[in-house]
Amino acid sequence: MLGVLLLVGLVLVHSIQPFLAVTAPESGGVMVAEGWMDDYAMQAAVDKFQQGHFDKFYVTGIPLEEGAPLAQYKTYAELGAAVAVKMGLSTNVVQAVPAPDVCKDRTYASAVALKEWLNGHGTNVSSLTVVSQGAHARRTRLLYEKAFGSDVKIGIISIPNREYDPNRWWIKSAGVREVIDESVAYLYARLFFRPSGQ
């Protein structure tokens, strides 16, 4: 019995990070980048946009904290959009879509803000691919699916977190923190999260 438990534990340790850091993009449609990502992750998103057949590059995000060094951008969406333009994207294809200031469910709030922006501008999309960072990816896709419903196909691209080796996440504190935090958060989103009003 102990051997079986040990084997299950080893399988879980080796499979949980790849499960959370899923990459399964949609072909075409629009790309959405989470504005809070590190610059190297945003650069990877820009590169993937330029390599793919995407129509538009949206950047989402909540307000920056007051007094933050780059607070002139007001939100992570505006900051991320400015970074994407500096990295080579045209201002014609980049659109910042700020989300409201919320204490929790920030990814879901960003997805809802994007949906409302698209609807408000008469922009119909049948598929979108969200670019996230590290183990946050699977939860991001789930929350976008909850926000957009079954009419829009949601793809996801995870840019590896450079703070740890994804294949040996358990030997660095950054990896342990991210994988454990995102495992708990994903389970909450999957089992208990209900959008407001439902």
Side-chain angles (χ1 to χ4, degrees):
M1 184 64 115
L2 186 60
V4 169
L5 289 174
L6 184 59
L7 181 61
V8 169
L10 286 172
V11 169
L12 183 62
V13 164
H14 282 278
S15 62
I16 189 66
Q17 202 281 340
F19 172 79
L20 294 170
V22 61
T23 290
E26 285 295 320
S27 178
V30 301
M31 179 172 281
V32 181
E34 297 194 287
W36 56 264
M37 295 189 301
D38 292 324
D39 283 358
Y40 68 84
M42 188 63 75
Q43 181 66 67
V46 167
D47 293 344
K48 289 180 183 299
F49 179 85
Q50 292 171 329
Q51 294 160 8
H53 301 287
F54 299 99
D55 301 322
K56 194 87 174 171
F57 189 91
Y58 295 96
V59 185
T60 61
I62 62 171
L64 287 162
E65 293 178 14
E66 258 185 64
L70 298 170
Q72 73 263 25
Y73 291 105
K74 306 296 184 204
T75 67
Y76 282 102
E78 293 161 305
L79 173 60
V83 169
V85 169
K86 283 196 179 288
M87 290 176 171
L89 290 188
S90 164
T91 55
N92 294 328
V93 300
V94 178
Q95 177 63 55
V97 182
D101 193 8
V102 292
C103 300
K104 62 174 192 165
D105 304 325
R106 294 181 295 261
T107 300
Y108 180 75
S110 293
V112 169
L114 177 62
K115 181 180 180 181
E116 290 173 352
W117 190 96
L118 293 170
N119 290 340
H121 289 78
T123 305
N124 295 317
V125 298
S126 58
S127 66
L128 61 85
T129 296
V130 188
V131 182
S132 189
Q133 188 172 316
H136 186 60
R138 186 168 291 272
R139 180 162 60 102
T140 294
R141 183 175 67 176
L142 173 64
L143 293 171
Y144 269 76
E145 287 170 344
K146 288 179 180 288
F148 278 85
S150 58
D151 293 336
V152 180
K153 294 178 182 176
I154 308 295
I156 188 72
I157 295 173
S158 174
I159 307 302
N161 187 333
R162 288 185 180 174
E163 292 187 46
Y164 65 92
D165 177 356
N167 298 314
R168 293 162 54 83
W169 59 267
W170 57 88
I171 65 170
K172 285 278 202 81
S173 61
V176 172
R177 282 196 310 272
E178 181 173 278
V179 170
I180 290 175
D181 287 353
E182 287 299 334
S183 296
V184 172
Y186 175 73
L187 285 174
Y188 165 78
R190 173 62 72 186
L191 300 175
F192 303 110
F193 175 77
R194 295 292 179 272
S196 300
Q198 292 189 12

